[in-house]
Amino acid sequence: MLTLLNISNIALIDELRVEFDRGLNLLTGETGSGKSIIVDSLGALVGGRLTSDLLKSGTDRGFIEGLFLIGRHSEIEALLAEAGIDMAIDSAAPQDESGEAHEIIIRRELSPSGRNKIFINNQLATQSLLRDLRSYLVDIHGQGDQQTLFNTDTHLELLDGFANVSSLRHEVANAYARWHALKLELGKLHQDETEKLQLLDILKFQINELDRAQLTTGEDQRLDDEQRRLTNVEKLTLLCTEAYRLTYEDSGSALARVGQATKQIEELAAFEATFRGYLEGLESARAILEDLAFSLREFSERLEFSPERLAEINDRQADLSRLKRKYGGSIESALNHLAAAQERLRQIEHADERATELAGKLAAARDEYLKQAARLHRERIRNAKKLEQAVEHGLKEVAMESARFQVQVSELSATISRGDAHFPDRNTQGSDVEPPTFNARGIDRVEFYFSANLGEGVKPLAKVASGGEASRLMLVLKTVANASEFPRTIVFDEIDTGIGGRVSEAVGAKLKKLAETNQVLCVTHQPQIARFADSHLLIEKGVAGGRTRVGIEKLGQRGRVEEIARMLTGAEITDSARRHAREMLKG
């Protein structure tokens, strides 16, 4: 649930800190006081548009920040883990059955240029991640958002939520993913034969070229070293001769002097035992100098300038340089390319065998998908009637006694019957052709039909529901369509548009019921709804220092009486209105 919302320099808001409680949170205030700005800010916080025109005039930075408290939730944890974001544990917060309460802190910062930064638990994040998280954290229904209810994709999701078929949906999605992956792989094998022949020629040429080169790892470095020796033979010979003379050949060479020093230390050690420990080191020095001298002599004797060998090296280096440029910049990358080309060639040369194998797997995957999709289809059909009954019962509770509601589940393509389930007809060209209804959600199309008045036949919801009717229907659907499966913050911005009196009372009761399983935020102008609040927040707009500012106050019992009285009578609050307000709160 949303426990805290901070807004700074957004629209009319300078600084606003709103604390929300569990249950039903009602936001009231005069028209234009800024209630919808709070809802819009929350929408922007969880992935909505946040543009520079929302930045308060005369400021250089604005931000929206929200603190959400949730229990263990595998989907949210997976999303954050994939993005490298940790979830914080709040030991002081009310805990779920697992004994843990996790914090998610979302922050969006806005600059005058329109660029904004997104942080989740103090780590940079993307807007796409915000949008993925939104469905698990906040469900917003603003003014005019009934359009989402007119979308048949929403109808399918609501039916599946009511039927609680998330595990079956997951199986269908996995079966579809396997089938689709095999279909794509088989499609690659069936590419144009001319293109395949061209690719074969290219692969064979590259393999032959690299095979002939006989590349070995580190060869270019070894050739560089040998080239440097050949081009510096004279200098190397002089260095070896001089070093050999100083180390070994001269009467005053290093080896001779170490030998003399060793004799002196041996005699000294006969009188002072502490010097005996140096003798081993001197012997090691003599051995090293002797080994160095012999190595210098052997290296010098091998030095010989060879124009032919230098030409060979230059030619080989030119070949290696060309191959490295052509195949990735190094000998290692060229060898990797050779291995990949050989494997690709093998696949193409055995494409017919692979195509036969894939066709069999594709047919099996298709049958598995259809099997799972048929199970899902049956569950949707079975639960459609239950949803109709539950919604019609809920509509009576919001003063729509004559309303009728119908769920139609159909398939979009031609079907054939196999037992008690329907399947998309198999294409005569084989099972690799994708029927138009194959998707990760199954093979069904779900649409809600509705009639608000007695004696009228049901018609597609989008064609017959008015704004007020759609608002009430949306509330009923949210209440009955398994709203407690993933408890979240559900926001209604002026759901009372187009209704009043007795209907408002019924809507308030329904909101109260929904708030038993979800945190509900509701902007309302109806006192009959406001009386049901678990937390009543008053939004006020005023002028201070020549600037318009928005403020918020959490109302106690006396404040609630005054606000509900204002909602009943308008600007002039009478004692009679106060008495009525107190009676409403008692009820």
Side-chain angles (χ1 to χ4, degrees), residues 272-296:
E272 179 56 55
T274 56
F275 288 99
R276 192 170 291 118
Y278 293 100
L279 292 174
E280 184 177 351
L282 289 169
E283 286 300 322
S284 296
R286 285 186 60 188
I288 291 172
L289 289 170
E290 285 180 352
D291 185 64
L292 173 59
F294 295 146
S295 296
L296 287 168

Side-chain angles (χ1 to χ4, degrees), residues 24-28 511 520-524 526 529-538:
L24 180 57
N25 296 259
L26 266 298
L27 284 72
T28 66
L511 285 168
V520 177
L521 275 56
C522 180
V523 175
T524 183
Q526 298 287 350
I529 293 177
R531 78 177 187 85
F532 287 98
D534 295 308
S535 175
H536 192 152
L537 301 166
L538 174 62

Side-chain angles (χ1 to χ4, degrees), residues 361-584:
K361 290 183 177 180
L362 184 63
R366 183 183 193 275
D367 289 342
E368 177 62 21
Y369 168 79
L370 291 172
K371 176 184 174 182
Q372 300 299 337
R375 289 177 58 203
L376 182 57
H377 174 79
R378 290 193 294 271
E379 284 299 307
R380 286 168 174 163
I381 292 292
R382 187 172 67 86
N383 282 278
K385 290 297 180 185
K386 295 181 180 180
L387 179 59
E388 291 174 359
Q389 294 169 3
V391 170
E392 287 188 353
H393 177 75
L395 288 171
K396 288 182 173 64
E397 293 177 347
V398 291
M400 297 179 71
E401 294 83 356
S402 301
R404 294 173 59 204
F405 179 78
Q406 191 177 97
V407 182
Q408 294 196 5
V409 182
S410 58
E411 299 170 54
L412 296 177
S413 66
T415 59
I416 58 175
S417 178
R418 295 185 182 176
D420 60 348
H422 291 80
F423 298 81
D425 198 4
R426 227 181 246 275
N427 191 292
T428 57
Q429 296 178 358
S431 59
D432 60 323
V433 178
E434 180 179 0
T437 52
F438 268 39
N439 62 64
R441 302 191 302 174
I443 55 175
D444 299 312
R445 181 180 187 274
V446 176
E447 185 169 9
F448 294 160
Y449 281 62
F450 179 74
S451 171
N453 302 305
L454 187 66
E456 293 184 4
V458 294
K459 295 181 180 179
L461 177 63
K463 296 181 179 180
V464 295
S466 67
E469 292 166 347
S471 295
R472 281 179 278 171
L473 177 58
M474 179 169 59
L475 175 60
V476 170
L477 284 166
K478 286 294 178 183
T479 307
V480 302
N482 209 20
S484 61
E485 182 182 3
F486 295 118
R488 70 203 77 188
T489 300
I490 302 178
V491 183
F492 295 98
D493 186 5
E494 300 193 10
I495 192 175
D496 52 21
T497 300
I499 63 174
R502 181 175 66 91
V503 178
S504 295
E505 181 85 10
V507 168
K510 186 63 69 174
L511 285 168
K512 186 76 170 180
K513 180 176 177 58
L514 180 60
E516 294 175 1
T517 54
N518 294 263
Q519 181 190 45
V520 177
L521 275 56
C522 180
V523 175
T524 183
H525 291 283
Q526 298 287 350
Q528 294 88 348
I529 293 177
R531 78 177 187 85
F532 287 98
D534 295 308
S535 175
H536 192 152
L537 301 166
L538 174 62
I539 315 299
E540 294 182 300
K541 182 170 65 175
V543 177
R547 300 292 297 271
T548 301
R549 289 178 169 83
V550 174
I552 190 166
E553 178 187 359
K554 186 173 183 179
L555 299 178
Q557 182 67 16
R558 180 177 296 179
R560 293 189 67 193
V561 169
E562 289 295 309
E563 174 61 7
I564 291 177
R566 181 200 63 79
M567 297 171 75
L568 286 167
T569 62
E572 185 176 346
I573 303 176
T574 64
D575 290 338
S576 174
R578 291 188 179 94
R579 285 195 299 272
H580 190 185
R582 281 191 285 269
E583 289 298 321
M584 291 178 70

Side-chain angles (χ1 to χ4, degrees), residues 53-353:
D53 57 335
L54 293 176
L55 190 65
K56 189 172 179 66
S57 177
T59 60
D60 58 3
R61 186 177 71 98
F63 71 82
I64 307 168
E65 185 176 50
L67 170 61
F68 294 87
L69 192 66
I70 63 170
R72 293 295 303 272
H73 197 299
S74 58
E75 286 87 351
I76 294 178
E77 291 170 12
L79 282 171
L80 294 180
E82 186 177 351
I85 297 173
D86 297 325
M87 291 182 68
I89 296 179
D90 185 356
S91 58
Q95 299 178 343
D96 67 353
E97 294 178 357
S98 69
E100 293 181 351
H102 296 274
E103 288 184 346
I104 297 180
I105 301 173
I106 301 175
R107 180 183 176 92
R108 293 193 71 176
E109 296 182 356
L110 177 64
S111 66
S113 65
R115 298 184 62 182
N116 60 84
K117 296 178 182 178
I118 300 170
F119 298 90
I120 298 178
N121 287 355
N122 293 321
Q123 294 177 253
L124 277 171
T126 63
Q127 190 162 353
S128 62
L129 175 59
L130 270 188
R131 289 171 178 164
D132 290 339
L133 285 173
R134 174 175 180 154
S135 60
Y136 300 108
L137 299 177
V138 179
D139 188 2
I140 299 178
H141 300 279
Q143 300 176 43
D145 272 357
Q146 296 93 341
Q147 294 302 319
T148 60
L149 189 59
F150 299 153
N151 186 334
T152 55
D153 287 339
T154 302
H155 301 178
L156 185 143
E157 296 300 329
L158 286 168
L159 173 59
D160 285 354
F162 175 80
N164 195 18
V165 291
S166 56
S167 61
L168 187 52
R169 277 276 297 259
H170 186 66
E171 292 177 16
V172 170
N174 286 341
Y176 174 80
R178 290 191 294 271
W179 175 84
H180 193 62
L182 289 168
K183 174 182 175 293
L184 292 177
E185 186 176 353
L186 187 59
K188 289 180 181 178
L189 290 179
H190 289 165
Q191 63 184 312
D192 183 76
E193 287 299 320
T194 302
E195 180 182 346
K196 188 185 297 183
L197 290 174
Q198 290 174 348
L199 182 57
L200 278 172
D201 289 340
I202 293 171
L203 290 172
K204 288 178 178 178
F205 173 81
Q206 292 176 347
I207 291 170
N208 290 335
E209 182 178 45
L210 291 169
D211 273 339
R212 286 195 307 271
Q214 293 295 301
L215 301 176
T216 58
T217 302
E219 181 185 4
D220 48 353
Q221 184 60 51
R222 293 193 294 271
L223 289 175
D224 289 343
D225 294 341
E226 187 177 357
Q227 183 193 49
R228 280 195 298 273
R229 287 196 298 272
L230 285 174
T231 54
N232 292 278
V233 167
E234 184 177 349
K235 182 177 181 180
L236 292 173
T237 301
L238 180 60
L239 289 171
C240 286
T241 301
E242 184 65 17
Y244 180 75
R245 183 180 65 78
L246 294 172
T247 304
Y248 185 82
E249 195 172 40
D250 287 356
S251 57
S253 67
L255 188 60
R257 289 182 179 275
V258 169
Q260 293 170 3
T262 302
K263 289 180 181 180
Q264 300 297 325
I265 297 300
E266 285 175 346
E267 291 183 17
L268 183 60
F271 297 96
E272 179 56 55
T274 56
F275 288 99
R276 192 170 291 118
Y278 293 100
L279 292 174
E280 184 177 351
L282 289 169
E283 286 300 322
S284 296
R286 285 186 60 188
I288 291 172
L289 289 170
E290 285 180 352
D291 185 64
L292 173 59
F294 295 146
S295 296
L296 287 168
R297 185 175 62 188
E298 290 177 5
F299 182 72
S300 177
E301 290 172 352
R302 291 198 312 269
L303 285 174
E304 179 183 358
F305 179 69
S306 172
E308 295 80 8
R309 177 56 183 162
L310 184 58
E312 289 177 6
I313 290 174
N314 289 336
D315 291 342
R316 181 62 172 171
Q317 286 178 321
D319 288 340
L320 293 181
S321 180
R322 178 179 58 82
L323 291 173
K324 288 193 292 184
R325 286 197 306 271
K326 188 174 180 180
Y327 296 109
S330 68
I331 289 179
E332 290 77 7
S333 63
L335 290 171
N336 291 336
H337 184 89
L338 172 61
Q342 289 170 333
E343 175 60 21
R344 182 73 176 119
L345 179 62
R346 186 194 66 77
Q347 291 177 356
I348 293 176
E349 289 176 340
H350 295 83
D352 291 341
E353 299 172 15

